[in-house]
């Protein structure tokens, strides 16, 4: 299996790249500057310069792009729109690292986490930007996408336990009443989805046991 990881130099991208390589997959780092991952193959291009020809060589493209500056949050929607356009009507799957804020807090899928009273104000703009990008994806039937939301507490330097809970659209807590996951365990879940392809055109979520 051939996998391309966009923004592979980032914290999540590096761990996903390493996880995939450790499983014997053929991985290419897609980066704007020098490749700083363990991948021996790379494409050096800005995300908005990528073309259909660049990406259709892969079975799966992982979008690990992220932006936290408030005046640049529109890039979440813009970049996913671009990737969707160039992968439309192809066999290449697109897996996107999403956020927890757009998860629903009710089984009717009407109320989202970022609209609850206790959701931190500082994270609302980012959560809503990622939520808008997900809405755009849901409106497309020409892209083989999967959107994977992490737990509310997404821990960059957290422990790799090798285990996780797979959930769906509804915000979920583990048996300890926690919603957290390390980047390392998230990488395991993402590569599992990349290799198994069980959730095409779906949003799933993952959290620690």
């Amino acid at each position: 299996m051939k996998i391309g990881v966009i923004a592979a130099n980032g914290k999540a991208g590096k761990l996903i790249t390493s996880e995939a390589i450790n499983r014997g997959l053929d991985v290419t780092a897609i980066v704007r500057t020098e490749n700083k991952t363990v991948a021996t193959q790379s494409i050096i291009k800005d995300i908005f310069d990528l073309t259909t020809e660049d990406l259709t060589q892969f079975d799966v493209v992982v979008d690990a792009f992220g932006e936290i500056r408030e005046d640049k949050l529109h890039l979440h929607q813009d970049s996913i729109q671009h990737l969707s356009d160039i992968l439309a009507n192809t066999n290449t799957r697109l897996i996107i690292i999403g956020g927890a804020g757009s998860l629903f807090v009710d089984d009717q899928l009407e109320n989202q986490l970022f609209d609850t009273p206790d959701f931190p104000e500082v994270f609302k703009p980012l959560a809503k930007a990622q939520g808008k990008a997900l809405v755009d994806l849901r409106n497309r039937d020409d892209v083989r996408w999967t959107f994977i939301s992490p737990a509310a507490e997404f821990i960059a330097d957290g422990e790799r336990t090798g285990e996780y809970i797979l959930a769906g659209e509804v915000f979920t807590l583990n048996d300890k009443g926690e919603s957290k996951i390390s980047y390392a365990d998230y990488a395991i879940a993402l590569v599992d989805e990349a290799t198994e392809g069980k959730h095409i055109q779906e949003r799933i979520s993952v959290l620690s046991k």
Side-chain angles (χ1 to χ4, degrees):
M1 171 175 277
K2 295 186 68 175
I3 297 179
V5 181
I6 296 170
N9 281 339
K11 289 180 180 179
K14 278 185 177 178
L15 286 170
I16 291 164
T17 299
S18 296
E19 179 70 29
I21 287 174
N22 288 341
R23 298 200 202 181
L25 304 179
D26 183 343
V27 184
T28 297
I30 303 172
V31 292
R32 286 189 302 167
T33 58
E34 178 188 359
N35 175 25
K36 299 176 182 178
T37 75
V38 295
T40 58
Q41 305 168 103
S42 63
I43 295 173
I44 300 178
K45 271 191 176 185
D46 185 90
I47 191 170
F48 291 101
D49 293 329
L50 292 169
T51 66
T52 300
E53 290 71 25
D54 289 326
L55 299 186
T56 51
Q57 63 179 296
F58 303 111
D59 299 297
V60 176
V61 171
V62 176
D63 177 14
F65 171 81
E67 179 57 72
I68 60 172
R69 294 171 293 179
E70 192 158 352
D71 63 332
K72 301 290 186 182
L73 291 178
H74 64 90
L75 294 177
H76 287 276
Q77 267 186 292
D78 295 349
S79 60
I80 290 174
Q81 178 71 48
H82 174 65
L83 294 175
S84 296
D85 287 345
I86 63 177
L87 289 176
N89 300 306
T90 72
N91 289 323
T92 300
R93 291 165 48 214
L94 175 62
I95 299 181
I96 296 158
I97 296 179
S102 61
L103 288 166
F104 293 94
V105 294
D106 59 322
D107 291 336
Q108 294 74 34
L109 308 184
E110 295 176 350
N111 302 296
Q112 290 174 281
L113 186 62
F114 55 54
D115 284 328
T116 58
D118 294 334
F119 193 85
E121 286 290 332
V122 67
F123 295 128
K124 279 189 178 181
L126 173 59
K128 291 193 173 185
Q130 291 175 321
K132 288 178 182 177
L134 176 57
V135 170
D136 289 346
L137 281 171
R138 293 192 200 276
N139 288 327
R140 301 197 68 138
D141 60 6
D142 58 351
V143 181
R144 303 180 70 208
W145 60 269
T146 304
F147 190 97
I148 308 181
S149 290
E153 189 179 353
F154 198 17
I155 308 166
D157 56 353
E159 177 188 2
R160 185 187 191 279
T161 69
E163 297 182 306
Y164 63 89
I165 297 169
L166 177 64
E169 292 275 8
V170 177
F171 179 65
T172 303
L173 301 176
N174 63 18
D175 290 341
K176 301 174 185 175
E178 300 170 331
S179 172
K180 66 180 183 179
I181 194 165
S182 67
Y183 278 38
D185 283 343
Y186 180 93
I188 294 171
L190 188 146
V191 177
D192 283 349
E193 176 60 28
T195 56
E196 296 168 9
K198 292 183 177 178
H199 300 93
I200 308 300
Q201 294 187 335
E202 293 180 28
R203 188 259 289 275
I204 56 175
S205 55
V206 294
L207 64 153
S208 293
K209 288 190 172 181

